[in-house]
Amino acid sequence: MEIQVLTGNISTLSVGAALAELYEGQDPLEGVLVAWDQALGGAISRLRAKGEIKGKPRELTLIHTLGRLRPERVLLVGLGKREELTPNRIRDAAAEALRYARRLESETVATTILGAGVAGIKHEQAAQALAEGAILGLYTFRRHQARGENSQDLEKLTLVDPRRKNRAELGQGVTTGRILAEAANQARDMVNEPANYMTPTILAQEAQKVAQAYGLECQILNREQMEAVGMGALLGVAQGSRQPPQFIILRYRGDHKSSRLLALVGKGITFDSGGISIKPADGMGEMKGDMAGGAAVISAMGAIAQLKPELNITGLVPATENLPGGNAYKPGDVLKSMSGKTIEVISTDAEGRLILADALCYAHMKEKATLVVDAATLTGACQVALGNICSGAFTNNQSLVDKVLRAGQETGERAWQLPMFTEYKEQNKSDVADIKNTGGRYAGAITAAQFLAEFAQDTPWVHLDIAGTARAEKDSGATVKGATGVPVLTFVNLALALAQEEEEA
Ligand code: BES
Ligand code: MN
Ligand code: ZN
């Protein structure tokens, strides 16, 4: 889809649909709506007077212009109360409106700059939110269907503003929004891809493609190299699969004067059968998405390389399948992690924390990370606790988690912090090794995080459990059914914010 910025009058464009905003409240019609109302014989004012148009968030009103205006249809987009408007709301409204336009099979759509100048939202922010809403909201995954490319996709979206002086700002907003949303969609593609098309090797190739495209350093450790650094936990999980494990490293260096380094770590289980502790058959196919954290890291690194924050960042993705088989690791096995700590395997289905243990060690031991944020579809318990509304956040450093939570809030990827009281650690005590890989029935998301904390050690670290948020059951705003791309936007926004605070210091 092409996104264009145009200086001019939206009413003069021959498009399938033209979008304009409406707010809740009794204020008189404004801007382009005055002209549309007149041309349509007062239809908009009458619908408002009758209460059919309220301007509530998510309200969409379609009016056919039947030759009275150049656009074939106008689509009035409710944005709610003016003072409550946020870029998130603009993004979601744009996504809903454009999906509606797509259902009408209109191939070209024009829109005013929804929300610009309202509640302190700048033209650039509004344009960014519009571009994000368009690209995220119209996402489809049809690679494996015969219909393929040829169903009615929106061809062109034109952002129209009457003032020439806003043009550069609008263009900048669209560019930023496009980079962010396309990164999230790229992660969605990887997560939606079935596991036979997204093996650890293919995931590593995706990372290499991103590195090539945007100028990142890419290094992939193979099994021998993992053995050499002592990644016994990752290698234990990988034992049952015919697919070779891959340890993916992407490096972005945006600040050569600083030793500050952010490591983004993502769980890369390309299929989680549970291993010998095998999962029930029902819904097992969803476990093709158990590399959502890893996909988010790879895509976020690509967006970071394009947006160029002044900060050093390394992306790390331990990638393997988790399968049963004659050589698979077993309950009762003891694994030796890269840190030297030994781990008793209680369940081979608690594999995510094992591969992350070695990745977290690698982050501080080899990459010298000073800040670490990981994302993982780690526990069903987190999904039970928080549902699909927000991710779980866990930390050993309150100031870092505050930044992560803010970065998520601003991008519409919410997270909620759960406690890390030391008492929870007791559930991970083993009789035969230094730690065990499950903590029993209660507080499963927290005991998993406490396990990871042992391997993050003293480095400021945040863990995001995205088991509930990596997939959506239905379309809603900028989210579409299937993979969500969470937490790509959080990662990128966090990187930008950390670079900004360094500059201010
Ligand atoms: N990948 C799963 C967690 C998961 C569950 C992600 C549902 C997305 C949706 C993880 O590897 C797992 O199997 N966790 C176990 C841990 C248990 C054995 C301690 C779980 O949550 O049941
Ligand atoms: Mn598992
Ligand atoms: Zn898993």
Side-chain angles (χ1 to χ4, degrees), residues 18-19 101 120 124 134 136 160 171 206 286-287 294 339 445 454 459 476 493:
L19 273 49
E124 178 173 347
L136 292 168
V160 191
E206 290 293 324
E286 278 179 29
M287 285 300 125
S339 71
E454 290 300 315
T459 316
S476 169
N493 199 23

Side-chain angles (χ1 to χ4, degrees), residues 267 272-274 279 287 290 322 348-352 378:
K267 173 176 174 182
D272 181 13
S273 70
K279 287 180 181 294
M287 285 300 125
D290 209 18
N322 183 26
T348 64
D349 198 10
E351 83 297 339
L378 202 65

Side-chain angles (χ1 to χ4, degrees), residues 42-61:
I44 299 174
S45 340
R46 264 182 291 148
L47 291 171
R48 286 226 310 167
K50 283 210 301 190
E52 195 165 325
I53 301 179
K54 295 196 174 66
K56 288 200 181 286
R58 286 172 191 245
E59 176 191 276
L60 292 172
T61 310

Side-chain angles (χ1 to χ4, degrees), residues 39 122 181 328 384 405:
K122 299 191 184 76
V384 169
L405 295 175

